[in-house]
Amino acid sequence: MVRHPLIDMGSFPIYNVMAGIGLISALLVLMHNLKDYNLRKPEEDRLLLLLAIAFVTGMGLSNVGNWFIMPGALDLPLLLRIKSAGLSFYFGLIGFLGTATFLLKAFRYDVGMYLNAVVPSMLLFHGFGRIGCSLGGCCYGKIVNWNVFNTIFIERFPAREIEAILLFIGFFVTQYVIKERRLVFYLYAYPVTRFLLEFGRGDNRGVLITSVLSPSQIISILIISITTVYMLCAFAVKVDSKHGIRNLHM
């Protein structure tokens, strides 16, 4: 696999180190945020277990999803396929949110409430992961050869570095500014950002439906579309409810 690390650390698994730091940081933030919900200890422990199961499912799908978009991946032996396919954030996100929604509903937790609490942790974990990409050399940008003020030479478009910065900004915004509808904010802001940054990516991202757009750009469009439809339906239901109450009083 071709790699272009920001800092070449040889075979040292720096991505795994950064992902581990991100996971620990995300868990600490989540546990801090859950204090606002006054959960009893057994309820909190069960909630964390359900989210952990969703996370592991998402991590698995982040690899398995790539089997179907990376040319030739399905022809490889299983272990080599797992190793060569790598990880795709969007497949992991879909796996996590889908599994979390199912499990939270099954155990009668308020899905919207607790996914709202998870969003800052998702952004923080992803931000550290992108730092791992920069240090490890994956997810690199196209060659641009920019000479900034004749002092800084940038060989490749800094897609992963820009994304990391924006993810950390998103973390601070959702943690300290936006308290309500964090997930809706995230499901609009991140796909738009990712769609635009994908134009600057230079690595092989596979093919999904068409080669005109990258798989991540197609998934970004789908997420924005589904979120918009959901919001419109929710708004329509709210309007109908208010109209019904108004008629009741007439």
Side-chain angles (χ1 to χ4, degrees):
M1 182 183 294
V2 178
R3 292 188 177 273
H4 295 279
L6 183 64
I7 301 173
D8 193 348
M9 303 188 72
S11 60
F12 185 73
I14 189 62
Y15 178 84
N16 296 342
V17 173
M18 296 309 300
I21 294 173
L23 181 59
I24 293 171
S25 301
L27 181 58
L28 291 174
V29 168
L30 176 60
M31 293 179 69
H32 170 77
N33 287 343
L34 289 180
K35 292 179 180 178
D36 295 335
Y37 298 93
N38 297 317
L39 288 169
R40 292 179 299 174
K41 192 65 167 61
E43 291 177 323
E44 181 177 323
D45 290 344
R46 184 168 61 232
L47 174 63
L48 291 173
L49 176 61
L50 297 178
L51 293 175
I53 293 172
F55 175 79
V56 172
T57 302
M59 288 298 294
L61 190 57
S62 71
N63 179 266
V64 173
N66 277 358
W67 298 0
F68 302 94
I69 66 173
M70 292 296 183
L74 290 173
D75 298 328
L76 299 173
L78 180 59
L79 293 180
L80 184 57
R81 186 190 312 165
I82 293 172
K83 183 178 179 180
S84 63
L87 303 175
S88 174
F89 174 75
Y90 262 147
F91 290 129
L93 177 66
I94 292 169
F96 172 76
L97 291 180
T99 305
T101 298
F102 173 79
L103 291 176
L104 292 177
K105 277 184 173 291
F107 285 86
R108 299 184 179 180
Y109 285 93
D110 187 318
V111 176
M113 178 187 297
Y114 292 111
L115 287 185
N116 187 67
V118 170
V119 170
S121 295
M122 290 165 52
L123 286 158
L124 189 60
F125 171 70
H126 195 185
F128 277 104
R130 275 292 178 246
I131 292 177
C133 291
S134 296
L135 298 177
C138 61
C139 307
Y140 50 85
K142 294 178 179 178
I143 294 177
V144 291
N145 291 328
W146 290 341
N147 195 345
V148 183
F149 303 118
N150 293 318
T151 56
I152 301 175
F153 180 74
I154 300 176
E155 180 184 6
R156 292 181 175 274
F157 180 74
R160 57 200 179 189
E161 290 77 25
I162 293 173
E163 185 172 343
I165 292 171
L166 293 177
L167 286 167
F168 284 119
I169 291 173
F171 161 71
F172 283 107
V173 170
T174 54
Q175 179 67 19
Y176 300 109
V177 180
I178 298 176
K179 299 296 184 179
E180 303 289 335
R181 296 192 178 279
R182 287 168 169 163
L183 186 59
V184 173
F185 168 80
Y186 172 75
L187 292 178
Y188 276 120
Y190 180 72
V192 170
T193 301
R194 183 63 180 270
F195 183 89
L196 296 175
L197 287 176
E198 283 288 301
F199 287 114
R201 290 276 291 269
D203 57 319
N204 179 20
R205 287 150 293 152
V207 177
L208 178 63
I209 302 174
T210 176
S211 59
V212 176
L213 297 173
S214 73
S216 291
Q217 286 176 316
I218 293 172
I219 296 173
S220 292
I221 293 172
L222 289 174
I223 289 176
I224 292 171
S225 300
I226 292 171
T227 304
T228 300
V229 170
Y230 173 82
M231 292 302 295
L232 289 174
C233 290
F235 178 74
V237 169
K238 185 176 181 180
V239 170
D240 286 345
S241 176
K242 288 183 177 180
H243 182 69
I245 292 174
R246 195 158 47 238
N247 285 341
L248 186 65
H249 287 290
M250 286 177 65

